Amino acid sequence: MELIFREDAYAKSCSATVASVDERGIRLDRTVFYPNGGGQPGDTGLLRHAGGEVRIIDTVKGDGIDDVVHVPEPGSALPAPGTPVEAEIDWDRRHRHMRMHTALHLVCAVLPGASITGAQVGAERSRVDFNLPAEALDKDGIAAALNTLIAADTPVGFLWITDEELDANPDLIRTLTVKPPRGYGRVRLVDIAGVDRQPCGGTHVARLGEIGMLEVLKIENKGKQNRRVVVALKD
Ligand SMILES: [Zn+2]
């Protein structure tokens, strides 16, 4: 399956052909729908075809590498394999996920040295959990640092490295729980010059300014060594 969002996060729709349909959902030969993973929710949207349309309520990973399953609204009439479709994501929701997801990279950047134990992107609020001792994190200081980075409007780029290069640079991995995807022979690094660089398969905005103003809603203690930073977009 061709995963268009990996090269172009701004692709809102694509023409595709139904590859298969089973109890889990619909597989296409290519897609713009991001599957739930790495803390970012799966896309929702529509598959339009000559006989009607199917609302997609979630997108999930299938069985193998690059296998993406589009989950239809229950009770939908499903297009048969071979049917041409126009696949279109709910762009407003996805764009918020892109802004939020990129913002979480910045939260990592302003807490250097802390390992990530969990993260969840949402359209309304997002959180990152860090393995940090009980010292108080400065909520206002973190918010100010985040918005300074956003105002600098640094471009968000990609670098591809081999699995061996990643193994030789374990410091690139900030997450304890999510391992970078293996099996491709190469790993995509998200590179925000001078700010953050780590393996990531999610969707991001092209420049930091596109995130807009961020708010730190709260910092919670979630256990002895776990601090949760909750952020929201200001608009
Ligand atoms: Zn990312």
Side-chain angles (χ1 to χ4, degrees):
M1 193 179 295
E2 182 190 349
L3 306 183
I4 295 167
F5 56 81
R6 188 179 289 154
E7 305 295 335
D8 181 9
Y10 289 85
K12 302 172 183 69
S13 65
C14 70
S15 299
T17 302
V18 176
S20 67
V21 177
D22 64 18
E23 68 286 346
R24 294 188 65 189
I26 302 164
R27 289 171 169 88
L28 305 174
D29 61 338
R30 58 206 299 267
T31 191
V32 291
F33 281 68
Y34 178 82
N36 187 333
Q40 183 177 331
D43 282 325
T44 57
L46 279 179
L47 302 185
R48 293 193 183 85
H49 57 96
E53 62 183 36
V54 181
R55 170 133 282 276
I56 301 302
I57 58 170
D58 195 8
T59 307
V60 297
K61 287 179 178 162
D63 301 319
I65 280 177
D66 291 354
D67 187 20
V68 169
V69 181
H70 306 77
V71 180
E73 193 167 51
S76 304
L78 303 183
T83 304
V85 297
E86 190 68 17
E88 183 180 359
I89 58 173
D90 290 327
W91 172 248
D92 289 347
R93 176 175 180 269
R94 152 70 92 70
H95 189 239
R96 289 182 76 85
H97 290 165
M98 287 161 58
R99 293 164 66 198
M100 281 290 208
H101 184 128
T102 310
L104 295 192
H105 282 259
L106 301 187
V107 178
C108 297
V110 302
L111 295 171
S115 293
I116 302 156
T117 54
Q120 183 62 53
V121 172
E124 301 306 322
R125 57 171 63 188
S126 300
R127 62 172 172 82
V128 198
D129 290 358
F130 292 95
N131 183 4
L132 281 173
E135 72 206 40
L137 292 177
D138 173 13
K139 180 167 165 270
D140 294 339
I142 290 172
L146 291 172
N147 286 310
T148 299
L149 288 173
I150 290 166
D153 198 26
T154 308
V156 179
F158 301 121
L159 289 170
W160 289 89
I161 61 170
T162 64
D163 288 353
E164 292 72 29
E165 286 169 321
L166 181 63
D167 290 336
N169 293 280
D171 290 352
L172 285 171
I173 300 177
R174 294 288 306 275
T175 50
L176 297 176
T177 48
V178 181
K179 296 288 175 246
R182 291 296 181 125
Y184 298 96
R186 60 181 199 152
V187 173
R188 190 185 75 172
L189 301 182
V190 171
D191 181 42
I192 308 170
V195 178
D196 183 61
R197 179 184 286 179
Q198 58 179 297
C200 186
T203 60
H204 310 82
V205 292
R207 303 187 69 92
L208 295 185
E210 200 171 321
I211 297 170
M213 287 286 282
L214 265 186
E215 197 173 359
V216 177
L217 294 180
K218 55 186 170 180
I219 293 171
E220 297 176 297
N221 290 339
K222 290 295 202 183
K224 199 172 163 201
Q225 286 276 330
N226 208 18
R227 300 292 164 271
R228 172 170 294 178
V229 180
V230 183
V231 297
L233 304 172
K234 272 205 165 176
D235 55 35

